[in-house]
Amino acid sequence: MRSYAGAVVGNFLFVMVCCFPVPLAYVVAWIAWSEGEDWAWIPLLAALAGSGLVLVLASRLARRGFPRITRADRVEDGGFSYGEESFVMWAPQSPKGHPQARLVRADVLEASLARYDPEGGTGVTTYPGDYTPNEFTPLVELRLRVYEAEEAEAGGPAGWFEITDQWRVPSVCLSAVTAGRLAVLVAPAGPAGPAGSAGPQPHGSVTPLWPSSTLLAGTRTCRVAGLDGGLSDATRRPGRLLRQMRISRSAGGVELTGDTIDLRRLDAHTAARYTAVVERDRSFPEERAPVTEPGEESRWIVDGLPGERAEFGSVGRRWSSRGGVLVRGRFLKMRSTHSFQDHGPVLDTVLRVHPADGTPPFESARRLTVPMTYLAVLHRTREVVLYADPAGGSYVVDWPRTNLLAGTTAAAVITPEGRELPLAGRPDVIWSLMNLLASHGLSNPDPVLDLRKRRMSPVAGAAMELTRIGQDVAGPS
């Protein structure tokens, strides 16, 4: 379990090595003092000033790289009221596409990671003005089934065609691939090919709209505030969302307030078109699409993406003995920046943290490096695990535990008799087991909890009971 103090010390030593004249000044000052030189105070003063500067730089680097949330990060008035399920994402814009292109749905049948090989090392790389540099944007090969008519949005008959190609997928939009639903633009069919070809192309180029795809996948939530102020939820209703997207595209774009389209801020014609969509949905309600389309195993690229290894987590003895606890939070907002690390983009985030002492939850704004493995399953959950400082003054995002809770790796329990019990799709059981281990000061840096180990004997009975309760609630697997 990493500590903030350890991060500061590590960065202090790193900066001190980079600023080698500072320790050299101490050596010069000591030699001058030992020889009785009157000017010995000059290098000493320079060394002390340099040490202060090094400490400031080390603190800033630790603050930048360590996912610690303090009282200074709390948001007193965010200017937007997030709902219980709201999630706002500001992603890089997609290409405009052909002006006569049709906006339709495409299902991801297969996906594989073609290439992701950045050379940024462990540091942060910044590209001013560029949200999606190729070096930090995964190249993914997709086999898509593209629907050619609106009837497919409601499950009715429609023509479709399949296409296989490679596309650059912004890291924050990877969950749309895992969920299996994309919004794409299909350009008009091209002219006849060269002599000897099969004639005109049956369809034009296909351009995925990645921010819109996260909306269609249910990663981003979407609400519509009517002219009377009433809210209507469109999340995970693909047919309705596509109709809204077409209206927005024809209007040149519609500004959202958080995750809400406020019709009172639109011109009368556009507002009337949106109102017609809302009324249609009320008259003929569309069922919510599944969180993940069938066949997720064919789209699972998580194992090839970088990110912290999912595990039940490590426990520091000092932290445990002083009463440290795990708490849960939830991301409310993510916004892309121009900075990247090899294992994930640097994002401006807003989190809602639920303190363990039962006090009301609070919201905090923090710039964090978010692992790509977690971003690929963001349509499933926005929950995050944090370990709280025993004094209650700060919280640290625990990415290994967060990834396990999110399901980037399958968790399991091995009983004392040697039987393996899978915990896939049971985050509440995983969370209870994490707390059980933390309360007893037991580390388990692995996604599999092996109760046959001698050091696990104090918690084996309670762990088995929690697992059985989880199985009874979930039903037979």
Side-chain angles (χ1 to χ4, degrees):
M1 179 177 284
R2 297 172 61 205
S3 67
Y4 181 69
V8 173
V9 171
N11 281 286
F12 180 83
L13 295 175
F14 170 75
V15 177
M16 187 67 80
V17 170
C18 295
C19 301
F20 65 91
V22 175
L24 184 62
Y26 278 111
V27 174
V28 173
W30 181 80
I31 294 175
W33 175 80
S34 63
E35 294 183 357
E37 299 290 345
D38 294 338
W39 50 268
W41 63 272
I42 297 177
L44 178 61
L45 186 62
L48 292 174
S51 297
L53 179 61
V54 167
L55 184 59
V56 170
L57 291 175
S59 299
R60 288 184 176 179
L61 286 174
R63 163 74 178 170
R64 184 178 182 180
F66 195 75
R68 180 170 175 252
I69 296 170
T70 65
R71 294 184 183 277
D73 300 313
R74 297 196 180 189
V75 178
E76 301 300 334
D77 182 12
F80 173 73
S81 179
Y82 294 94
E84 287 299 318
E85 300 296 328
S86 292
F87 179 67
V88 179
M89 176 185 286
W90 298 101
Q93 289 187 350
S94 297
K96 297 294 184 182
H98 194 281
Q100 297 179 354
R102 293 174 292 113
L103 198 162
V104 296
R105 168 178 171 169
D107 290 344
V108 182
L109 304 180
E110 293 179 359
S112 60
L113 184 63
R115 184 167 64 252
Y116 180 72
D117 50 358
E119 300 178 357
T122 58
V124 176
T125 304
T126 301
Y127 290 80
D130 191 353
Y131 289 104
T132 55
N134 285 345
E135 181 184 0
F136 291 96
T137 306
L139 183 67
V140 182
E141 182 169 312
L142 303 175
R143 183 164 72 90
L144 304 180
R145 175 173 292 167
V146 183
Y147 295 95
E148 300 184 270
E150 292 190 29
E151 285 79 1
E153 302 158 14
W160 52 266
F161 63 89
E162 291 188 7
I163 181 174
T164 300
D165 205 342
Q166 294 182 349
W167 287 275
R168 294 280 180 182
V169 184
S171 301
V172 293
C173 302
L174 285 167
S175 59
V177 174
T178 313
R181 291 188 298 273
L182 304 183
V184 301
L185 290 177
V186 180
S197 65
Q201 297 295 320
H203 57 80
S205 61
V206 175
T207 304
L209 302 179
W210 294 115
S212 299
S213 294
T214 59
L215 199 60
L216 206 65
T219 302
R220 297 165 58 196
T221 54
C222 180
R223 300 180 293 176
V224 176
L227 297 175
D228 58 355
L231 287 175
S232 172
D233 188 8
T235 306
R236 289 209 341 256
R237 292 177 171 85
R240 173 176 168 178
L241 286 168
L242 280 168
R243 286 188 283 274
Q244 291 181 178
M245 290 175 193
R246 293 187 185 112
I247 295 173
S248 174
R249 187 164 185 262
S250 65
V254 171
E255 184 178 355
L256 276 73
T257 305
D259 67 340
T260 304
I261 301 172
D262 193 340
L263 303 190
R264 294 166 294 186
R265 297 187 176 187
L266 306 181
D267 63 86
H269 176 67
T270 304
R273 296 180 66 188
Y274 268 101
T275 301
V277 172
V278 174
E279 292 299 328
R280 172 177 172 175
D281 189 61
R282 287 175 180 167
S283 302
F284 306 97
E286 179 183 358
E287 292 187 6
R288 280 197 168 193
V291 173
T292 299
E293 294 294 325
E296 183 186 69
E297 64 279 359
S298 299
R299 305 185 299 270
W300 189 257
I301 61 173
V302 178
D303 296 336
L305 295 171
E308 281 82 349
R309 182 172 182 264
E311 58 185 47
F312 279 97
S314 300
V315 178
R317 291 185 178 180
R318 184 182 178 190
W319 174 80
S320 179
S321 63
R322 292 173 58 199
V325 294
L326 301 176
V327 300
R328 289 169 95 163
R330 189 171 72 84
F331 282 111
L332 302 177
K333 177 182 176 180
M334 289 183 179
R335 186 185 185 98
S336 297
T337 69
H338 303 293
S339 298
F340 306 85
Q341 284 190 286
D342 282 7
H343 65 284
V346 180
L347 306 177
D348 288 327
T349 69
V350 175
L351 300 90
R352 179 175 290 157
V353 180
H354 297 266
D357 58 6
T359 56
F362 63 89
E363 295 173 8
S364 63
R366 184 72 164 84
R367 178 165 286 194
L368 297 171
T369 300
V370 183
M372 293 174 68
T373 47
Y374 181 76
L375 292 173
V377 296
L378 200 58
H379 62 296
R380 292 182 178 176
T381 179
R382 272 80 73 181
E383 284 197 306
V384 61
V385 179
L386 308 96
Y387 53 89
D389 180 76
S394 64
Y395 301 84
V396 178
V397 177
D398 191 328
W399 285 118
R401 286 187 172 97
T402 297
N403 272 344
L404 189 65
L405 196 69
T408 62
T409 299
V413 169
I414 298 180
T415 68
E417 296 78 25
R419 189 162 60 100
E420 183 173 325
L421 303 176
L423 299 179
R426 297 171 184 173
D428 289 337
V429 178
I430 296 172
W431 170 247
S432 299
L433 291 172
M434 287 179 181
N435 279 280
L436 177 65
L437 295 173
S439 64
H440 286 77
L442 295 172
S443 297
N444 191 70
D446 196 272
V448 178
L449 178 59
D450 192 344
L451 299 179
R452 296 173 298 179
K453 296 180 179 179
R454 180 176 298 179
R455 64 186 183 87
M456 292 295 174
S457 57
V459 299
M464 286 301 302
E465 184 64 23
L466 290 172
T467 306
R468 291 192 185 100
I469 292 174
Q471 284 183 316
D472 293 341
V473 172
S477 57

